[in-house]
Amino acid sequence: DVKVTQSSRYLVKRTGEKVFLECVQDMDHENMFWYRQDPGLGLRLIYFSYDVKMKEKGDIPEGYSVSREKKERFSLILESASTNQTSMYLCASSFGGEEKLFFGSGTQLSVL
Amino acid sequence: DQQVKQNSPSLSVQEGRISILNCDYTNSMFDYFLWYKKYPAEGPTFLISISSIKDKNEDGRFTVFLNKSAKHLSLHIVPSQPGDSAVYFCAARETSKAAGNKLTFGGGTRVLVKP
């Protein structure tokens, strides 16, 4: 089974802090994605990556950056956390041209 | 502007009856559609999908119907079971170099199946 692991289930941070969310997948998937889930808004794409060191902006990249130094690992960075970034963050991965995404369990981030 | 919309935020159904979840989209370039199911504190899991060249796909109790002219798809769950209580997300993909391999999701529909 594909496993996508997110490093933290819950995180509480203060406004202005730099926050790192880590995601690791074990199936050698080329593609990795970061989404955030908010009530009524569904899943919105923040950033994605098709290969090591490559990144593409999603629909809501403002206030975020990403890093993909290794194929299996995709990090989401909040440079200066703000309260409107309180959300559930979901990492996903997929094979090259495949439509089906495999998701991690999510990180519930609260910014106070 | 949301390209994929699920207009019903919630749905309550009796065990054994049919659940019908609806999804509308605006982008005519979408050519592949998926449904995901999400339980609390878990990531979404893939449920069923359909290509735009088909109008129906069935997998056990789950059937997805696609009406391209109406830009509408629906998920039927028959019979509904208490374990089906979850949030269901509709997702769509446009296969083009510009669009990449990303999925666009709807807002979700929370389904409650009553015993």
Side-chain angles (χ1 to χ4, degrees), chain A residues 31 35 37 50 97-98 101 104, chain B residues 36 38 41 43 46 93 100-101 103:
Chain A
N31 308 318
Y35 286 88
Q37 181 197 354
Y50 293 139
E98 286 238 334
L101 302 186
Chain B
Y36 278 81
K38 186 181 184 299
F46 170 77
R93 189 185 89 161
N101 199 38
L103 294 182

Side-chain angles (χ1 to χ4, degrees), chain B residues 19 21 35 48 50 55-65 74-78:
Chain B
S19 294
L21 290 76
W35 285 93
I48 192 169
I50 188 167
D55 55 19
K56 178 182 173 182
N57 188 28
E58 192 171 350
D59 184 2
R61 296 186 298 114
F62 303 91
T63 303
V64 56
F65 296 92
S74 61
L75 174 68
H76 292 207
I77 307 173
V78 183

Side-chain angles (χ1 to χ4, degrees), chain B:
Chain B
D1 192 26
Q2 282 190 300
Q3 295 188 67
V4 179
K5 285 187 179 177
Q6 295 174 253
N7 291 317
S8 298
S10 64
L11 172 69
S12 183
V13 64
Q14 208 67 33
E15 181 179 3
R17 306 295 289 268
I18 184 171
S19 294
I20 300 177
L21 290 76
N22 293 303
C23 178
D24 296 295
Y25 62 95
T26 56
N27 186 348
S28 58
M29 297 300 291
F30 286 145
D31 58 359
Y32 204 87
F33 304 88
L34 305 88
W35 285 93
Y36 278 81
K37 177 179 178 179
K38 186 181 184 299
Y39 292 118
E42 294 184 14
T45 54
F46 170 77
L47 190 58
I48 192 169
S49 62
I50 188 167
S51 165
S52 61
I53 61 173
K54 295 186 175 181
D55 55 19
K56 178 182 173 182
N57 188 28
E58 192 171 350
D59 184 2
R61 296 186 298 114
F62 303 91
T63 303
V64 56
F65 296 92
L66 175 63
N67 182 335
K68 281 180 63 179
S69 60
K71 294 192 180 68
H72 177 84
L73 65 155
S74 61
L75 174 68
H76 292 207
I77 307 173
V78 183
S80 299
Q81 299 174 353
D84 296 330
S85 297
V87 177
Y88 291 78
F89 292 100
C90 170
R93 189 185 89 161
E94 174 188 342
T95 305
S96 69
K97 194 168 183 181
N101 199 38
K102 59 184 182 179
L103 294 182
T104 301
F105 285 83
T109 297
R110 183 178 301 277
V111 173
L112 175 63
V113 180
K114 298 179 181 177

